[in-house]
Amino acid sequence: MKRWIPLWTIPLIVVLAIATVWLRLSIVKTTYAINQTEKMITNVKHEREKAALKIAGLRSPRRLEAISKAKFRLAQPKADQVVYLK
Amino acid sequence: MKKRLTVLMVLSLLIASTVAGRAVYIQILGDERLEKLAKRQFNSKMLVQARRGVIVDRSGEPLAINTEVQSLAANPSKVQNKKMMAKLLSKALGIPHEKLLARLKEKREFIWIKRHLPDEQIEQFKKWGITDVSGNLLPGFWLVKENFRRYPHGELASHVIGTVNLDSEGTEGVELWKNSKLEGKVVAMSSVKDALGRPTLYDASAVRDAKDGETIQLTLDASLQFAVEEELKLSLEKTKARAGAVIVMDAISGDILALANAPTFNPNVRGAPAENRRNRVLTDAFEPGSTLKPILLAGALNQGWKITDRLHGEHGSFKVQGKRISEAETHEKFEWIDLKKMIQVSSNVVSAKLAMKMGADKYMSTLRSFGFGEKSGTGFPGELSGWLPNAKKTWSPLTLANVGFGQGIMVTPIQMLRAYTAFVNGGWLVQPRLVKDPNKDEDSPAPIRAIPANVAEQVVDAMKTVTASDGTGKKAALEGYIVAGKTGTAQTVDAKTKKYSRSRYISSFIGFPVGVEPRIVIMTLLDEPKGVYYASETAAPLFKNVLNAVVTRFAIPSSSPIERKLAEAESKKNSKKKDTIQASMSQATPPAPTKLELSGTSPEGKIVWKMPSLEGMTAREALQILQGNDLRLEFHGNGLIQSQSPEAGTTITEGSLIKLRLENEL
């Protein structure tokens, strides 16, 4: 009796089926990983923004002036106290 | 038995083939309803939120940035024991219990309980039992992460930056003006989710389309802005003015380096009154008064007049169509004065006569060439174009005379400043810029020539006399710099009487240091200063302080040579030895604040001067001698000084009362 499909196709089909499932699982796994990384990126971005806010607050001219006056007893120079050399 | 088994087998086969047939139908042929159900279960739409762009100053200093905050949301249909929850939430969030209960009774699937919660309030949830033992919120409630706009410098440049609403959409200022660029691109993308609701597949191409908002770079300099705002605040406290504004602009590029308004507001705190949020520089128009006179002079010189041409001052007043036009001070009784002097003494009569001689058409064309009657082109929301008297009708002589000295015309502060840039940069009208747009630089309109360079030079020469020792703006002069400018004290219309008020004025000063780089123009404006309202005593000193901040910030070298400065210092030192202050008069180095002769000090440590002879002088001349010292002055009458008390040669100390009786005693 002649076989209607060759014998070697059976392992091929099995391999293809496993590969398809593996590929599908890999996609899902990678998506989870991307998702996780994106969350991390977002968190880092937020941390960066928080840091930027803190730096901006620390560099605020109002704060610096208050510190320079209170802590170092500095004052804005008067017009006649500044001489610029060309 | 066999027959029964056959029937059972056939039945089983029928059932099996029905199920198989149905499965084939569902899997292969498809069912629209089931397809939709499956899609609803496994597919979801995700919004990729864009981060709002930041706003920075010209050096990259952040002025508006984002942080993440959490907001409390609820699904009322899933909330159990609504009364109890309303009570607990009320205690944790400080919202009235009735209000919360009403919200929880709403028949909706989503409501906001409170937006933008501070961390301290979220910590309160556990204390008030709004979370379960594992720290999760009770059923029906959840926290949503949102972007929150923060302004790290608080009030700094708040009128320019503007504000956003709860949804981070611009509502005012640059936040509104550049909202489309700042908000970025929100993208909705489809994804397949797993049993736990986590996305398993993305539409990668859609993610690529999502775009964060662009960074907007302003032309403002944060450090200078701060210094200018501080000076304005001090000036407002001193003059008790209702409001004020200062603008500092680069006359070549048109970059606005500082733009301060008072009263001000903190954009981090919601609910500031509209009065405090108004950007007066761009959205308020006023009658400029004498600051318009240099524009008139430029127009006249451009029409062929000479700076030495003279007009009669009519001894202080003259009538036009039955209305009297007078000098600001009754003692100012000018005769023949040239156009340069007209600027120095700020003569209303001569300005009115000059405008009438020029004619309405020529004067109107001058005003238009300086950009009046149209928006300055900053693009800022709500900017006004000002108002010129009807161009279609012929101006009456009275209208023309009034516009000659800056009344009967409405301008915005930015228009005035823009017009003055033409004097600094050789006659070009530049477009003011508040935002540095790298893409727009190539398309930005080219400067327009308003006046020839030689005309600009002559007007600057005339304006230099204003800050000289006998000019109206001498208090704007800054030691070491040649300052040109013009004072303006304009009457305002009383909203009730619809007439010019005798007690409300807008004092302004527009000026610039001459011969220095960068070429900067500054305008100071005070609305309704109390007491001494003259610009010479209010806006001019503010200008001087602002100019000092500008030269300090940009390290602008003095325009007078260092040798001269040292020589002056030496001469001052010598003069102190003789116990006499000698006034040094030069355009480059404005005079010392007093011309009084020192006589020593009193036993109480007060300075003692010799009373000078003031008889025969005008009140202004007397003021120039006595100003800058702690003396109380009383003027009676107008015209020239007839008698004085104390008499000349006697001694006066700080706080002395000096009475001066003038020619025509009232």
Side-chain angles (χ1 to χ4, degrees):
Chain A
M1 190 179 123
K2 198 183 171 185
R3 283 196 194 98
W4 60 280
I5 48 165
L7 196 62
W8 59 267
T9 53
I10 295 166
L12 183 71
I13 289 166
V14 171
V15 167
L16 281 175
I18 291 169
T20 309
V21 172
W22 175 82
L23 194 68
R24 187 80 185 172
L25 284 173
S26 291
I27 290 171
V28 172
K29 212 174 155 184
T30 312
T31 310
Y32 285 149
I34 291 171
N35 221 359
Q36 205 60 30
T37 313
E38 272 186 352
K39 268 186 186 164
M40 272 172 64
I41 292 170
T42 312
N43 286 342
V44 171
K45 268 187 183 174
H46 290 151
E47 288 302 318
R48 211 175 102 182
E49 279 168 356
K50 270 187 193 172
L53 181 68
K54 202 167 180 182
I55 292 169
L58 291 171
R59 285 161 53 124
S60 160
R62 206 172 296 280
R63 179 182 167 274
L64 293 179
E65 198 195 30
I67 291 173
S68 59
K69 275 182 181 170
K71 207 171 173 183
F72 302 107
R73 300 193 178 281
L74 296 174
Q76 285 286 346
K78 286 177 188 162
D80 56 353
Q81 290 176 311
V82 183
V83 177
Y84 295 103
L85 302 175
K86 279 184 186 176
Chain B
M1 183 70 184
K2 199 180 170 185
K3 197 179 173 184
R4 281 182 185 172
L5 276 172
T6 312
V7 170
L8 193 65
M9 205 170 74
V10 169
L11 272 172
S12 299
L13 270 172
L14 270 173
I15 292 166
S17 48
T18 311
V19 172
R22 182 67 184 158
V24 167
Y25 176 76
I26 289 168
Q27 288 290 326
I28 296 166
L29 298 174
D31 180 311
E32 224 173 85
R33 188 182 63 87
L34 288 172
E35 227 172 75
K36 275 184 186 170
L37 274 173
K39 271 188 182 172
R40 245 173 74 178
Q41 194 172 342
F42 296 112
N43 290 0
S44 69
K45 283 244 167 185
M46 281 173 62
L47 281 180
V48 180
Q49 288 285 354
R51 313 284 297 161
R52 190 171 177 83
V54 297
I55 300 175
V56 298
D57 84 334
R58 64 187 296 115
S59 327
E61 183 68 32
L63 301 173
I65 49 183
N66 309 299
T67 52
E68 195 177 64
V69 289
Q70 300 194 82
S71 297
L72 184 62
N75 181 347
S77 61
K78 291 189 177 171
V79 175
Q80 294 153 3
N81 200 349
K82 290 177 182 169
K83 276 188 183 174
M84 177 60 80
M85 286 314 300
K87 270 186 187 170
L88 293 173
L89 284 170
S90 169
K91 281 176 180 163
L93 303 173
I95 303 172
H97 160 254
E98 298 77 24
K99 201 176 167 186
L100 278 170
L101 189 61
R103 296 225 68 195
L104 288 175
K105 281 182 178 172
E106 283 178 36
K107 289 188 175 169
R108 289 161 67 184
E109 289 193 349
F110 180 92
I111 56 160
W112 287 113
I113 300 291
K114 193 175 179 185
R115 306 279 296 270
H116 302 169
L117 291 165
D119 291 343
E120 306 85 62
Q121 280 192 340
I122 294 171
E123 283 163 16
Q124 293 279 309
F125 288 173
K126 204 173 178 182
K127 183 185 164 189
W128 293 108
I130 300 164
T131 53
D132 58 20
V133 279
S134 51
N136 296 321
L137 284 166
L138 293 177
F141 295 98
W142 68 96
L143 287 166
V144 180
K145 284 183 179 176
E146 288 190 283
N147 281 337
F148 184 53
R149 201 65 159 164
R150 293 291 296 269
Y151 304 92
H153 301 299
E155 293 172 352
L156 192 86
S158 53
H159 295 92
V160 177
I161 300 166
T163 50
V164 294
N165 61 15
L166 278 173
D167 295 317
S168 285
E169 291 161 340
T171 53
E172 276 176 271
V174 172
E175 293 276 26
L176 171 66
W177 176 23
K178 299 286 172 187
N179 192 50
S180 57
K181 284 189 174 181
L182 284 165
E183 70 183 354
K185 198 176 167 191
V186 180
V187 170
M189 62 168 191
S190 54
S191 73
V192 179
K193 58 184 180 182
D194 66 8
L196 294 172
R198 296 173 301 181
T200 57
L201 285 169
Y202 282 150
D203 179 359
S205 60
V207 178
R208 226 177 21 237
D209 290 341
K211 211 172 133 192
D212 282 349
E214 288 176 36
T215 295
I216 298 290
Q217 185 167 33
L218 302 183
T219 57
L220 299 182
D221 181 278
S223 294
L224 179 66
Q225 177 75 24
F226 171 72
V228 167
E229 284 184 8
E230 287 295 294
E231 292 299 346
L232 179 61
K233 203 163 89 182
L234 286 175
S235 181
L236 236 70
E237 281 168 14
K238 204 171 166 186
T239 60
K240 294 184 175 59
R242 190 172 66 91
V246 178
I247 330 168
V248 181
M249 185 169 151
D250 184 322
I252 303 294
S253 64
D255 283 0
I256 294 171
L257 304 169
L259 192 157
N261 281 275
T264 186
F265 71 102
N266 184 347
N268 291 313
V269 182
R270 289 184 193 281
E275 177 72 4
N276 292 16
R277 297 202 311 267
R278 227 168 62 219
N279 189 342
R280 291 159 203 277
V281 166
L282 293 148
T283 62
D284 273 16
F286 71 111
E287 290 179 82
S290 299
T291 48
L292 200 69
K293 287 169 187 167
I295 310 291
L296 170 74
L297 175 65
L301 295 174
N302 206 17
Q303 307 292 334
W305 285 69
K306 290 189 182 103
I307 194 83
T308 49
D309 284 344
R310 300 198 308 164
L311 286 169
H312 198 266
E314 307 289 346
H315 299 284
S317 71
F318 78 122
K319 277 191 172 180
V320 180
Q321 292 184 299
K323 297 271 180 187
R324 186 162 289 281
I325 288 174
S326 316
E327 299 297 357
E329 295 291 328
T330 48
H331 59 80
E332 289 172 326
K333 297 184 182 301
F334 303 117
E335 293 188 351
W336 288 99
I337 59 172
D338 62 27
L339 301 187
K340 194 173 182 177
K341 188 85 178 166
M342 172 190 89
I343 296 295
Q344 185 185 10
V345 298
S346 196
S347 170
N348 289 343
V349 171
V350 175
S351 300
K353 285 179 78 175
L354 179 61
M356 288 166 77
K357 283 190 185 291
M358 269 177 74
D361 291 347
K362 286 179 178 171
Y363 190 26
M364 175 67 110
S365 106
T366 299
L367 291 172
R368 289 214 179 276
S369 69
F370 274 95
F372 294 108
E374 61 181 43
K375 289 179 184 175
S376 70
T378 57
F380 197 84
E383 186 189 345
L384 294 182
S385 52
W387 177 83
L388 294 177
N390 197 341
K392 285 175 189 168
K393 289 181 188 170
T394 315
W395 287 3
S396 69
L398 182 63
T399 303
L400 190 51
N402 276 332
V403 180
F405 59 93
Q407 297 283 161
I409 167 180
M410 301 295 278
V411 300
T412 60
I414 196 78
Q415 283 178 331
M416 281 308 296
L417 194 75
R418 184 190 184 205
Y420 270 60
T421 58
F423 302 138
V424 188
N425 63 24
W428 297 95
L429 198 67
V430 296
Q431 189 178 307
R433 288 201 309 175
L434 262 169
V435 170
K436 281 189 157 205
D437 191 344
N439 307 322
K440 215 184 161 188
D441 273 358
E442 290 163 14
D443 308 328
S444 57
I448 306 156
R449 182 164 279 288
I451 43 168
N454 65 324
V455 169
E457 272 172 35
Q458 291 178 75
V459 178
V460 171
D461 270 346
M463 283 199 288
K464 280 188 214 167
T465 63
V466 173
T467 59
S469 59
D470 49 353
T472 53
K474 63 189 164 197
K475 287 194 176 173
L478 182 67
E479 197 175 345
Y481 296 88
I482 303 165
V483 177
K486 184 72 194 80
T487 52
T489 309
Q491 285 180 288
T492 58
V493 174
D494 191 323
K496 284 180 189 167
T497 61
K498 309 271 179 205
K499 285 179 180 173
Y500 280 118
S501 165
R502 286 183 180 274
S503 58
R504 293 177 183 172
Y505 295 87
I506 291 181
S507 302
S508 59
F509 190 92
I510 315 175
F512 43 88
V514 181
V516 296
E517 293 290 342
R519 298 188 194 182
I520 303 286
V521 197
I522 301 166
M523 178 174 193
T524 56
L525 183 143
L526 292 165
D527 191 358
E528 290 182 28
K530 307 285 181 303
V532 184
Y533 56 82
Y534 288 112
S536 55
E537 301 296 320
T538 53
L542 173 59
F543 171 90
K544 180 189 171 180
N545 295 339
V546 171
L547 177 58
N548 189 31
V550 170
V551 298
T552 307
R553 174 70 186 99
F554 297 116
I556 300 175
S558 158
S559 48
S560 63
I562 188 71
E563 293 84 4
R564 192 162 65 195
K565 229 173 149 46
L566 291 171
E568 278 163 15
E570 188 64 27
S571 125
K572 268 186 190 172
K573 211 169 137 188
N574 292 338
S575 66
K576 269 186 188 169
K577 278 181 193 165
K578 288 186 231 160
D579 238 1
T580 308
I581 295 174
Q582 298 289 336
S584 65
M585 303 276 186
S586 88
Q587 276 184 337
T589 51
T594 183
K595 288 180 178 176
L596 289 178
E597 192 181 335
L598 267 181
S599 202
T601 51
S602 69
E604 298 85 33
K606 286 183 175 177
I607 300 169
V608 180
W609 296 279
K610 239 182 206 177
M611 178 70 193
S613 171
L614 303 171
E615 285 175 19
M617 290 183 183
T618 63
R620 181 168 274 177
E621 284 167 342
L623 269 174
Q624 280 159 9
I625 290 172
L626 301 170
Q627 58 96 37
N629 303 303
D630 186 14
L631 297 168
R632 291 178 296 140
L633 301 177
E634 266 187 18
F635 287 93
H636 299 273
N638 58 46
L640 300 176
I641 296 168
Q642 293 293 302
S643 64
Q644 63 179 68
S645 165
E647 283 180 15
T650 55
T651 54
I652 48 168
T653 58
E654 285 172 285
S656 293
L657 175 68
I658 295 168
K659 287 183 180 177
L660 300 170
R661 294 193 184 280
L662 308 168
E663 239 171 4
N664 310 314
E665 199 171 333
L666 298 168

